[in-house]
Amino acid sequence: MVKKIHRLIIASVFGLIALSVIQGYLIRNTYILEKESFINKANKTISRIDDYTPAVDSINEVWQTLFVKTLDSYNAKFIKKEDVLQRLRKITDSLNDSFVAEYNRELATKKLNYDLKFHKIIKNIVLYDSIHHDTIFKENKELPYRLLGDAFDHNGEHQISNSLWHTDRSGTITVNGVERPIGYELNFETQDYINIEGWQRIILNNMSLLLLLSIVIFAFVIALLYYSIKSLITQKKIADIKTDFVNNITHELKTPLATLSLATKILKNEPVVVNAVSVEATVNTIERQNKRLQNLIDQVLNNSLGYKEIQLKKERVPLQDYLHTIFDDFLIAVNEKEVHVDRRIQLTNEVVLIDKFFFTTALYNILENAIKYANKDVEITLIASCEKSFKIVIEDNGIGISQENQALVFDKFFREGNKEVHNVKGLGLGLYYTRQIIMAHDGTIKVTSIKGKGSRFEIDIPIN
Ligand code: ADP
């Protein structure tokens, strides 16, 4: 059973790990999909502005016309290569403010709930003629050459498209009265980028319900597993305790039953039956064993009562006398010489309202255990006081109770599973019953103990 529980725990842990990996994978995929769809939407918005805004179109036309003229001058060798990009910069700088303004005006009509920025960068500018090709600009990842649009950080950007502007030029141009031929093909590659402020947060916000549900379901599964395993362990403990009880009671019943059977055999024996002394002795044995059996049954029946079933008949009890009497009687019942009791009774004339019969039973159970579970010389310390409440502490120097079992000793049928305890007779009902009696008095009982050194039981009874 223990192995089964271990296997179940290991399987559950693996199951949970697998579940979290799958869950993590699904969440990651959802995140990627959400990101793609989010960027696609932004992309569509930008494309629509690009395609359907006449003002943006005409700005594009203006810079392209001006730039082609610059290239014509370059191709006809009126200007140098370095001047081409400088002129392009001048042209686009002069147009960029109106370009951005047009874009933003259009963006405002789309009523987006995030801040969308856009720009075009130049990837390549290459001129081809019949003999060779001439690279005017080559993309540089570190320092992208912004053509038009907003300035934004390279880190948070997303590329949304690539475009190629191709045009053929041929003919002549005249500059300052000088006419020269031109002839080239232009390949002008650009890339469009967008930047959305806090896009991760926006995507996570969109996924918040999914994330929340995942966490809740995950927590629910863990709680369910924890609860199932815990109740399985409890069930196992209860099953063990019941088996122990059956073993204990069978053991207790064996001796009187064997004696009774022997006595019956003796009484069937003729020479014994005629001998009055033998008959009397045997009948006495039968009586004693019968009483023992009766006691055992009473113990099981009475000591199994719950605190609600205990009917108290409370009376005013002068504490000092009461406690001394209990200890005197107890010392007479056990062999006084073997037991040393240190009484620290800090009481004068205090009187409390308790059921003397039940309360005595409760104290006796603790005192008897101090003898049952003793090491060699029994030392019992009794501390009693009555201020705000009536407090009794009974300490012994016995075998002690392990830390993990201290909370269990008040459970019905619980006995520690070690060898020392199994050598001592018992049904595991004494402390259970003691606690029920104390609870019926609205009090509390607790135990602290050090294995091998002794145990300390503390009873606290309210006096109002
Ligand atoms: P029983 O004595 O019949 O087994 P109890 O309910 O009185 O039943 O005690 C429950 C268990 O608690 C005992 O079996 C023993 O393991 C442990 N125990 C109780 N009192 C002491 C004690 N004073 N010292 C050590 N162990 C104790």
Side-chain angles (χ1 to χ4, degrees):
M1 184 77 171
V2 178
K3 265 192 182 166
K4 238 188 196 173
I5 293 176
H6 278 161
R7 264 189 242 136
L8 191 75
I9 293 174
I10 293 170
S12 310
V13 169
F14 274 116
L16 274 181
I17 293 173
L19 197 72
S20 24
V21 170
I22 294 171
Q23 188 103 341
Y25 176 74
L26 290 178
I27 289 177
R28 187 179 161 270
N29 277 359
T30 315
Y31 179 80
I32 292 170
L33 283 177
E34 280 279 335
K35 182 182 160 189
E36 275 170 13
S37 103
F38 182 65
I39 289 173
N40 274 346
K41 258 190 218 158
N43 186 4
K44 266 189 196 148
T45 312
I46 298 292
S47 307
R48 247 180 237 144
I49 296 175
D50 235 3
D51 296 344
Y52 302 111
T53 316
V56 170
D57 254 5
S58 53
I59 292 172
N60 275 330
E61 250 177 63
V62 172
W63 78 259
Q64 282 177 353
T65 315
L66 292 174
F67 186 53
V68 162
K69 275 191 184 158
T70 309
L71 286 176
D72 289 350
S73 303
Y74 168 67
N75 188 245
K77 299 201 169 49
F78 284 118
I79 58 170
K80 285 190 197 126
K81 202 182 214 171
E82 305 87 77
D83 302 327
V84 178
L85 283 180
Q86 252 178 32
R87 286 199 186 181
L88 178 62
R89 177 83 291 157
K90 262 192 200 156
I91 297 166
T92 50
D93 279 355
S94 65
L95 293 169
N96 199 37
D97 282 351
S98 17
F99 180 86
V100 171
E102 286 305 329
Y103 246 99
N104 287 343
R105 190 171 307 131
E106 272 305 303
L107 267 180
T109 63
K110 308 284 185 236
K111 295 200 166 52
L112 301 176
N113 55 355
Y114 48 86
D115 186 16
L116 176 61
K117 288 199 163 84
F118 162 78
H119 67 208
K120 263 181 201 303
I121 63 157
I122 306 170
K123 216 178 159 212
N124 284 314
I125 307 173
V126 187
L127 300 187
Y128 298 94
D129 59 26
S130 47
I131 306 157
H132 61 285
H133 70 264
D134 181 8
T135 303
I136 306 284
F137 179 83
K138 182 114 184 87
E139 142 186 77
N140 175 356
K141 273 252 149 53
E142 296 310 307
L143 263 179
Y145 192 88
R146 179 158 53 91
L147 185 68
L148 286 169
D150 305 291
F152 52 76
D153 189 3
H154 183 48
N155 292 328
E157 64 186 17
H158 297 280
Q159 188 194 332
I160 53 170
S161 61
N162 267 319
S163 6
L164 176 69
W165 167 37
H166 180 87
T167 182
D168 284 344
R169 301 285 292 167
S170 58
T172 56
I173 63 159
T174 310
V175 176
N176 297 334
V178 182
E179 190 185 77
R180 283 185 191 162
I182 56 162
Y184 64 93
E185 280 177 30
L186 166 69
N187 265 8
F188 195 113
E189 274 182 75
T190 54
Q191 279 178 340
D192 292 355
Y193 281 88
I194 55 169
N195 182 294
I196 299 158
E197 193 68 42
W199 61 271
Q200 287 104 328
R201 193 177 24 84
I202 298 166
I203 292 170
L204 286 178
N205 265 353
N206 291 349
M207 289 174 60
S208 55
L209 189 69
L210 177 84
L211 288 175
L212 193 79
L213 271 177
S214 301
I215 292 170
V216 168
I217 291 172
F218 208 66
F220 182 71
V221 171
I222 291 179
L224 209 68
L225 268 176
Y226 173 76
Y227 180 76
S228 311
I229 291 171
K230 204 176 158 209
S231 49
L232 208 71
I233 292 170
T234 315
Q235 293 289 328
K236 177 174 168 354
K237 267 189 193 152
I238 293 172
D240 285 352
I241 286 171
K242 283 196 176 151
T243 316
D244 277 358
F245 172 70
V246 172
N247 290 343
N248 289 336
I249 195 127
T250 321
H251 186 75
E252 295 282 312
L253 289 171
K254 253 186 198 159
T255 325
L257 284 176
T259 319
L260 281 175
S261 131
L262 196 72
T264 329
K265 263 187 207 152
I266 292 170
L267 284 182
K268 276 186 186 160
N269 188 333
E270 237 172 80
V272 175
V273 178
V274 290
N275 183 342
V277 182
S278 300
V279 171
E280 201 192 333
T282 317
V283 169
N284 282 347
T285 308
I286 293 175
E287 235 177 8
R288 266 200 316 276
Q289 295 308 326
N290 194 25
K291 210 169 172 191
R292 201 169 151 188
L293 282 176
Q294 193 60 50
N295 276 344
L296 211 62
I297 290 164
D298 284 351
Q299 207 186 333
V300 175
L301 290 180
N302 295 336
N303 292 7
S304 293
L305 286 182
Y307 71 99
K308 283 184 188 152
E309 294 149 325
I310 297 171
Q311 304 282 329
L312 296 182
K313 285 194 195 97
K314 286 189 183 173
E315 56 188 297
R316 291 172 64 76
V317 178
L319 281 179
Q320 203 177 22
D321 285 355
Y322 167 69
L323 288 177
H324 279 297
T325 315
I326 283 191
F327 272 81
D328 291 342
D329 290 353
F330 172 72
L331 289 175
I332 294 167
V334 298
N335 189 342
E336 200 176 333
K337 280 175 207 148
E338 290 166 11
V339 181
H340 177 253
V341 176
D342 180 7
R343 303 183 202 193
R344 299 185 201 159
I345 301 178
Q346 299 142 10
L347 299 164
T348 42
N349 298 320
E350 289 86 347
V351 174
V352 288
L353 207 58
I354 51 172
D355 184 310
K356 217 170 166 179
F357 171 76
F358 281 111
F359 209 82
T360 307
T361 308
L363 293 184
Y364 262 67
N365 284 342
I366 299 173
L367 291 171
E368 277 164 9
N369 280 348
I371 309 272
K372 271 161 72 177
Y373 305 107
N375 281 322
K376 268 183 209 149
D377 299 320
V378 186
E379 296 257 358
I380 300 176
T381 310
L382 166 81
I383 307 163
S385 66
C386 189
E387 285 165 14
K388 284 180 190 150
S389 59
F390 169 35
K391 282 190 168 64
I392 311 176
V393 175
I394 299 173
E395 272 177 11
D396 65 47
N397 62 340
I399 59 172
I401 305 163
S402 69
Q403 183 76 35
E404 72 212 72
N405 287 335
Q406 286 172 25
L408 303 172
V409 289
F410 299 107
D411 287 355
K412 211 179 203 174
F413 304 134
F414 180 84
R415 306 198 78 215
E416 269 206 306
N418 53 42
K419 232 210 273 152
E420 298 122 295
V421 171
H422 276 282
N423 291 336
V424 179
K425 282 180 188 172
L427 297 176
L429 282 170
L431 285 184
Y432 164 78
Y433 193 44
T434 299
R435 183 161 179 250
Q436 300 307 310
I437 294 171
I438 301 300
M439 280 164 76
H441 282 87
D442 298 321
T444 56
I445 177 165
K446 59 182 177 187
V447 64
T448 44
S449 178
I450 299 172
K451 197 78 191 148
K453 290 254 165 87
S455 311
R456 174 188 166 97
F457 290 86
E458 278 182 57
I459 298 174
D460 199 311
I461 307 285
I463 44 181
N464 305 325

